[in-house]
Amino acid sequence: GAGVSQSPSNKVTEKGKDVELRCDPISGHTALYWYRQSLGQGLEFLIYFQGNSAPDKSGLPSDRFSAERTGGSVSTLTIQRTQQEDSAVYLCASSSNRATETQYFGPGTRLLVL
Amino acid sequence: LAKTTQPISMDSYEGQEVNITCSHNNIATNDYITWYQQFPSQGPRFIIQGYKTKVTNEVASLFIPADRKSSTLSLPRVSLSDTAVYYCLGKLVRTYKYIFGTGTRLKVLA
């Protein structure tokens, strides 16, 4: 079956513009996660969804970042008024439920803010 | 402050066993610890996960002591294709947040 897919694969934008990053989880997976990986750096947790609900949004780096999930499937990570420090790879993962917690990752979206 | 630390890098020769340890002081006691492999420009790939003691699959073993303050990934007989960065992942206690280890860059030499 299909794995986690993300779009776009690459995004170049100008400072101050808004961007939307999309994640399609594995079919039937109820949990969805967003992470960020800056160039040459480790993986930073952003947010977790169980169904359409995100119980804790404090991992988002600033109020310019928001995320939503609809229909228990697709999720969108939105960055408003992008800054150069937002340049990174944004990774999405999904898992079947909280009991197993095996997260399967997508290929990521590479965001470059000029 | 939650810390999940790993050695920055390791070198090994083909055919050797490699052990990578992750030290974590604040991982939830009721959740799995998972290890991932990451190649350049790719998302992390699942290797193995465990809850306690020892778990083995076709590619690796995972050792987790009773106090769950650390976990050790064991790769038997590594090959050149195992050259990658390896991360541990756990859920922070009493939160809905997850934390990756700092990552270990493994280089396998011929």
Side-chain angles (χ1 to χ4, degrees):
Chain A
V4 177
S5 60
Q6 295 185 244
S7 61
S9 54
N10 292 280
K11 177 71 176 179
V12 181
T13 190
E14 294 179 348
K15 178 181 173 181
K17 295 287 180 68
D18 297 351
V19 295
E20 284 190 354
L21 312 180
R22 176 187 168 107
C23 173
D24 282 90
I26 293 171
S27 179
H29 278 194
T30 58
L32 186 146
Y33 315 77
W34 284 97
Y35 294 85
R36 178 170 74 172
Q37 188 169 32
S38 301
L39 184 62
Q41 301 298 309
L43 292 134
E44 173 190 8
F45 171 79
L46 299 180
I47 195 168
Y48 152 70
F49 285 91
Q50 182 60 43
N52 293 333
S53 175
D56 183 353
K57 299 182 180 182
S58 65
L60 295 173
S62 75
D63 58 7
R64 296 185 295 104
F65 287 71
S66 62
E68 66 174 14
R69 189 179 184 197
T70 56
S73 181
V74 172
S75 176
T76 302
L77 178 69
T78 301
I79 310 173
Q80 295 179 312
R81 305 180 303 282
T82 53
Q83 303 295 312
Q84 289 181 333
E85 61 261 29
D86 299 333
S87 296
V89 176
Y90 290 82
L91 289 156
C92 176
S94 69
S95 65
S96 59
N97 57 58
R98 291 193 67 246
T100 61
E101 296 282 12
T102 302
Q103 299 179 32
Y104 296 96
F105 282 80
T109 293
R110 287 155 188 76
L111 175 65
L112 177 61
V113 182
L114 301 176
Chain B
L1 178 66
K3 288 186 177 181
T4 305
T5 57
Q6 302 177 227
I8 294 174
S9 64
M10 299 178 72
D11 287 349
S12 180
Y13 288 96
E14 282 190 290
Q16 289 187 329
E17 178 184 77
V18 170
N19 296 308
I20 304 173
T21 297
C22 175
S23 298
H24 30 77
N25 66 348
N26 211 12
I27 296 298
T29 56
N30 60 343
D31 264 47
Y32 287 98
I33 295 168
T34 310
W35 281 80
Y36 291 87
Q37 177 191 57
Q38 188 178 33
F39 296 111
S41 301
Q42 295 185 22
R45 187 174 78 167
F46 171 79
I47 301 173
I48 194 168
Q49 74 175 22
Y51 180 67
K52 58 183 177 181
T53 62
K54 178 182 176 181
V55 178
T56 297
N57 63 18
E58 62 275 10
V59 298
S61 294
L62 178 60
F63 303 90
I64 303 173
D67 66 5
R68 288 171 54 88
K69 296 296 185 184
S70 67
S71 60
T72 298
L73 172 72
S74 180
L75 303 172
R77 299 179 299 281
V78 294
S79 63
L80 294 175
S81 63
D82 293 321
T83 294
V85 182
Y86 292 82
Y87 294 95
C88 60
L89 171 68
K91 181 173 170 289
L92 287 177
V93 63
R94 294 186 296 276
T95 75
Y96 291 100
K97 296 179 179 178
Y98 293 80
I99 185 166
F100 270 96
T102 49
T104 298
R105 189 173 300 275
L106 173 65
K107 185 175 182 180
V108 180
L109 307 169

